[in-house]
Amino acid sequence: MRIDVVTIFPGYLAPLREALLGRAVGTGLLDIAVHDLRDWTHDVHQAVDDAPYGGGPGMVMRPHVWGEALDDVLAADPRPARLVVPTPAGRPFTQAAAHAYAAQERLVFACGRYEGIDQRVVDHYAASMPVDEISIGDYVLVGGEVAVLVVVEAVARLLPGVLGNPRSAAEDSFSDGLLEGPAYTRPEVWRGHAVPEVLRSGNHGAIARWRRDRALERTAERRPDLIAALPPDALDEADRAL
Ligand SMILES: COc1cccc(Cn2ccc3ccc(-c4cc(N)[nH]n4)cc32)c1
């Protein structure tokens, strides 16, 4: 998979070169290119923003610089791409979206700043390619870069060969629609807190049941919306007895 990121703060994307993602890039599983939007400005001030039409606070990113940058970035590789634009006004980015993105040959991320990017940029490219405006949560960031780090990590870990243990991604939180239950490791007792007995019993059936019960309890308590969204056949008799 190839990932391109266009931003006025390329340094914000440095973490993509670290650890798991850095290794994925090093082994050729992932090809990441970060581009400085200001490379496509032609004025001495390298201006990328201007006052909003209709008034209002802050500035909006100008369409012509984005158009020149995205035209060049898209033309640099023949693979079909999906343009992803983080924004507080976007559709929620979910694990299902991460799986869909992991199947893409190429993702191009447009990182806005200020009060966002002139809407005509999204409208223009949406006429010729898939474009997603996405939100990573109901809170407001200062720009799109952190959202891109979140999305790229969530997608890259799903790519074959990126995670050391492929079972991890298959058994993710949300993969069965529930939150992950509690996890424990040595020592058996830590500051007077013991590991639940069942986990040391060696009884794999009881362990699986206990883990499912804890995941159901945690989900019902913290994310009742996920319980309500489960398909009718998702809960068995034992689940309902909880
Ligand atoms: C566009 O409307 C905006 C209104 C107020 C502030 C900002 C700041 N801002 C600029 C570009 C940008 C990209 C993404 C996000 C963002 C995404 C999520 N989930 N939260 N915040 C925020 C961004 C934009």
Side-chain angles (χ1 to χ4, degrees), residues 212 230-236 239-240:
R212 173 87 175 167
L230 288 172
D233 60 349
L235 300 179
D236 62 28
D239 294 337
R240 295 183 190 286

Side-chain angles (χ1 to χ4, degrees), residues 86-89 111-117 134-145 147:
T87 166
C111 294
R113 282 271 157 166
Y114 307 100
E115 297 299 306
I117 302 171
I134 61 156
S135 163
I136 61 163
D138 292 340
Y139 39 79
V140 183
L141 302 169
V142 180
E145 288 80 7

